[in-house]
Amino acid sequence: MDERRAKAADDGRGESANERADRNWNEILQEVRVTQTCTQILGGFLLAVAFQRRFTELDEYQLVLYLVLVALAGTSTLFGLSLVVVHRRFFGKRQKMRIVRVGNRLLMANLAVVALLIAGVTSLIFDFTVSRTAGVVALVAALLLSCALWLLVPLGGAGAGAGADAGSGSGAGARSGSGAGARSGAGSGAGAGSGPSTGASAG
């Protein structure tokens, strides 16, 4: 574990611990903007649905699902605001690393809530427009897709990164080996050229 942390810390960027914390915090904020955009779009859709004429046609299951989705949208918004609260709480106290750790946990929780919100909204639309079975299938499919994206995509990126590192290492080895071979060949050529001239001058 310590070797892994040391390797992660020494990533070739040449930055201090404070600079790394600032960069990580900026990356967290960028990702929060993406999640909050999703929450705003879906939350606005849910608010608009409540004022439609056909909203009264929702059955009990659909109404419960709708209220759960509204609660998830509000929870996601609170998670996003919690990042601001954490930053304000420790502002000016030289606790940026702590802010980054707490912010990362809040962001991961927010991503889970947004995934549930997306799956639930998809299920509600299919349930209302097609059938109950279609709604359940849409819910399960959206959840499985979210899990697949969370688990498989990072693994694929890690494998590609390892392959790229191995390729760059082998390329560097090939270049160094070919360069050494060229230099040794040049040295042997120089030795071969010096042999006859020495003999000629000795004769």
Side-chain angles (χ1 to χ4, degrees), residues 9-138:
D10 187 13
D11 57 358
R13 295 178 183 269
E15 57 187 5
S16 64
N18 290 331
E19 291 173 342
R20 185 179 300 108
D22 291 336
R23 176 175 57 82
N24 291 336
W25 178 247
N26 290 330
E27 292 176 355
I28 288 175
L29 292 181
Q30 293 294 333
E31 295 168 3
V32 168
R33 291 188 181 99
V34 175
T35 59
Q36 289 302 301
T37 299
C38 297
T39 302
Q40 290 173 3
I41 293 173
L42 296 177
F45 165 76
L46 292 172
L47 291 176
V49 166
F51 298 97
Q52 300 298 317
R53 294 181 178 178
R54 298 188 62 186
F55 181 76
T56 56
E57 299 179 11
L58 296 178
D59 58 24
E60 184 178 359
Y61 169 80
Q62 293 169 345
L63 182 60
V64 171
L65 179 59
Y66 171 81
L67 294 176
V68 170
L69 294 176
V70 171
L72 288 175
T75 303
S76 177
T77 303
L78 288 176
F79 274 131
L81 293 177
S82 296
L83 288 167
V84 180
V85 173
V86 170
H87 187 264
R88 288 294 95 192
R89 173 67 177 79
F90 297 105
F91 181 78
K93 296 182 180 180
R94 298 182 179 181
Q95 297 287 328
K96 181 57 71 69
M97 292 300 299
R98 183 176 182 181
I99 294 173
V100 170
R101 287 194 298 268
V102 176
N104 180 65
R105 297 189 187 100
L106 290 173
L107 178 57
M108 294 299 294
N110 194 17
L111 288 173
V113 172
V114 172
L116 292 175
L117 179 61
I118 293 173
V121 169
T122 304
S123 175
L124 178 62
I125 294 175
F126 273 82
D127 189 287
F128 185 76
T129 58
V130 183
S131 65
R132 181 60 45 80
T133 302
V136 173
V137 171

Side-chain angles (χ1 to χ4, degrees), residues 148-173:
L149 291 175
W150 276 39
L151 297 177
L152 299 181
V153 172
L155 291 178
D165 293 338
S168 62
S170 61

